[in-house]
Amino acid sequence: MHTPATTGLNSAPHLPPVVASEPNSTIAVLEDEIDQLASALAARFEELTLIHDLSQSLTLGEESSSIVETLLDELRPCTSASSLAILLEPDDTSNGEASMHVVGETVEMDWLNELAIRAEEISEEVSGGSRSISIVNRLAIDYDKFVRIVVVPIDRRNQLLGRMIAIRTADQPEFGTTEGDLMRSTSMMLGVHLINQRQFLELQQMFEGTIQSLVSALDAKDAYTCGHSTRVSELTVELAKRLDYGDEGISRVRMGGILHDIGKIGVDDAVLCKPGKLTEEEFDQIKQHPVLGYEILKGIRQFSHILPAVRHHHESWDGTGYPDGLAGDDIPRDAQIMAVADAFDAMTSDRPYRSGMCLEKVISIFQSGRGSQWAADVVDTLLGMPEVMERYAHKESDK
Ligand SMILES: [Fe+2]
Ligand SMILES: [Fe+2]
């Protein structure tokens, strides 16, 4: 840095006068910039926090409406809107009807939709075509009244799924890009989620439809066991609930029960529907069905958890069952439970060669097979629910 040379006491250097306001104004500008950066940073931080919180609540399989409501509840305080709404376009899951979710002051759906479209038109004229965020701070709603409005489309791959709309009354501050950006980020997230959710529901419906087709094919093959799969499924669930199964286990045995005899599709009709006693050879054919069922389902990953019950529901506690002759606790628990439900339904159902047994006889067979043919605690559980036995003995679920 250059230092001016001194020329003696009498010739003090003529330094330029200090202008007090210049550094101060620079500082003021810097302080102003820092304030702006700090508030922009705070807004971004708020946006990221909100997106993080929302991402935690986006669960596939949950109703879209509850996710939309959670999102609105979280977003409204950040936008200070008097009304914050999401209008969803009709889709396959809504019976062709549009829907609206709103937090804050209630508004009419048609009124809000009309405002949103007008705001988008005005915004398009002003911005020359961009419709990602429409902010109109004086949108007339009456001859002397106006509202402030932000409209953000909820879209995904050029498909409009709905709109997110924030409204402030005229006495509230104007909307700015902070609110618009926040709504845009959340609406993009919601758009992705709604599309994923729809695809998830479609796959789920297809999966359930496939299961139902398999069961219908089996029911059509053997009229006498029609409804058996559904009843075994329901009764297994009743037993599992009392044997402290959790939600996951219950849904597993529900599906396992539905498909436990699916292997009978591969058994000869003449054998499957034969009235009267089966020969040893014919019975050997019937005994193939747990393995056939296992083979049919094993290639589908979504069925992997029900394979043990499908394969082993004819094992006997003493090891004399089929197909693998497993005994005691080597028999998978789901199969132990299903074996009891299966036997109960078989005994109480009519067959071509006999009528269903009365409940007293069924109970006495279970008592004598407790701990030899079936797991003792499962039999005890069945015998401990007389109302359920009464109901299923009379085939209520078949009506
Ligand atoms: Fe079976
Ligand atoms: Fe069965």
Side-chain angles (χ1 to χ4, degrees), residues 153-169:
I154 302 165
D155 49 15
R156 184 76 184 143
R157 296 194 195 108
N158 296 327
Q159 184 187 356
L160 183 68
L161 307 169
R163 290 181 173 86
M164 187 183 289
I165 304 160
I167 298 248
R168 282 180 187 166
T169 49

Side-chain angles (χ1 to χ4, degrees), residues 9 82 91 97-98 135 154 175 196-197 226 233 238 258 300-301 316 325 331 335 345 347 353 356 368:
L9 287 172
S82 55
D91 67 26
E97 286 180 17
I135 303 175
I154 302 165
F175 281 119
N196 287 344
Q197 177 79 352
C226 186
S233 168
E238 294 286 351
I258 291 280
I300 304 167
R301 187 181 57 79
S316 182
I331 303 169
D345 191 69
M347 285 189 257
Y353 49 91
S368 60

Side-chain angles (χ1 to χ4, degrees), residues 133 135 137 150 168 174-181:
I133 306 172
I135 303 175
N137 275 307
V150 182
R168 282 180 187 166
E174 292 193 346
F175 281 119
T177 49
T178 306
E179 292 84 6
D181 288 346

Side-chain angles (χ1 to χ4, degrees), residues 228-229 232 257 260-261 264 289 313-314 338 342-343 345-346 351:
H228 168 74
S229 307
V232 169
H260 76 284
D261 274 342
K264 284 186 178 171
H289 80 269
H313 69 275
H314 284 291
M338 208 165 288
D342 188 35
D345 191 69
R351 285 285 184 269

Side-chain angles (χ1 to χ4, degrees), residues 296-373:
I296 289 170
L297 302 175
K298 77 172 186 195
I300 304 167
R301 187 181 57 79
Q302 287 83 348
F303 291 135
S304 59
H305 58 313
I306 65 165
L307 294 178
V310 171
R311 186 177 178 106
H312 297 295
H313 69 275
H314 284 291
E315 303 288 0
S316 182
W317 190 256
D318 58 9
T320 59
Y322 61 90
D324 298 317
L326 300 184
D329 282 328
D330 285 345
I331 303 169
R333 185 65 167 158
D334 290 359
Q336 293 176 22
I337 300 171
M338 208 165 288
V340 170
D342 188 35
F344 181 89
D345 191 69
M347 285 189 257
T348 54
S349 297
D350 292 337
R351 285 285 184 269
Y353 49 91
R354 65 151 170 83
S355 300
M357 294 176 197
C358 68
L359 198 48
E360 290 69 31
K361 186 168 179 191
V362 172
I363 289 171
S364 101
I365 291 174
F366 271 116
Q367 280 165 338
S368 60
R370 177 188 179 280
S372 55
Q373 184 163 358

Side-chain angles (χ1 to χ4, degrees), residues 46-58 189:
E46 192 176 32
E47 193 176 326
L48 282 174
T49 308
L50 178 70
I51 288 170
H52 173 263
D53 290 349
L54 289 174
S55 67
Q56 304 293 306
S57 59
L58 295 181
M189 210 165 134

Side-chain angles (χ1 to χ4, degrees), residues 58-234:
L58 295 181
T59 314
L60 277 180
E62 199 180 320
E63 287 281 311
S64 289
S65 57
S66 74
I67 285 163
V68 166
E69 274 157 26
T70 307
L71 188 150
L72 287 173
D73 283 337
E74 299 262 356
L75 188 57
R76 186 173 165 239
C78 307
T79 59
S80 306
S82 55
S83 302
L84 182 67
I86 287 177
L87 290 177
L88 292 176
E89 295 287 309
D91 67 26
D92 295 343
T93 60
S94 65
N95 297 324
E97 286 180 17
S99 62
M100 179 179 79
H101 301 268
V102 63
V103 289
E105 283 173 35
T106 319
V107 286
E108 288 281 322
M109 186 162 85
D110 290 345
W111 178 81
L112 191 65
N113 200 30
E114 196 187 309
L115 282 193
I117 291 168
R118 275 173 50 208
E120 283 176 341
E121 285 167 358
I122 293 169
S123 190
E124 251 181 61
E125 277 171 27
V126 173
S127 66
S130 166
R131 277 185 36 178
S132 63
I133 306 172
S134 307
I135 303 175
V136 180
N137 275 307
R138 286 186 70 90
L139 184 69
I141 54 168
D142 211 337
Y143 69 96
D144 63 345
K145 285 186 186 159
F146 66 90
V147 289
R148 311 191 191 284
I149 186 167
V150 182
V151 184
V152 175
I154 302 165
D155 49 15
R156 184 76 184 143
R157 296 194 195 108
N158 296 327
Q159 184 187 356
L160 183 68
L161 307 169
R163 290 181 173 86
M164 187 183 289
I165 304 160
I167 298 248
R168 282 180 187 166
T169 49
D171 57 341
Q172 291 179 289
E174 292 193 346
F175 281 119
T177 49
T178 306
E179 292 84 6
D181 288 346
L182 191 57
M183 288 170 64
R184 184 66 189 146
S185 309
T186 46
S187 73
M188 281 167 74
M189 210 165 134
L190 181 63
V192 172
H193 180 78
L194 289 174
I195 288 288
N196 287 344
Q197 177 79 352
R198 279 181 200 177
Q199 286 171 347
F200 175 81
L201 288 175
E202 277 172 21
L203 279 175
Q204 199 176 35
Q205 281 166 2
M206 195 173 79
F207 186 58
E208 284 165 9
T210 307
I211 294 172
Q212 199 46 56
S213 309
L214 284 170
V215 174
S216 301
L218 180 60
D219 282 352
K221 201 170 155 77
D222 182 4
Y224 270 93
T225 57
C226 186
H228 168 74
S229 307
T230 309
R231 290 191 300 271
V232 169
S233 168
E234 291 174 0

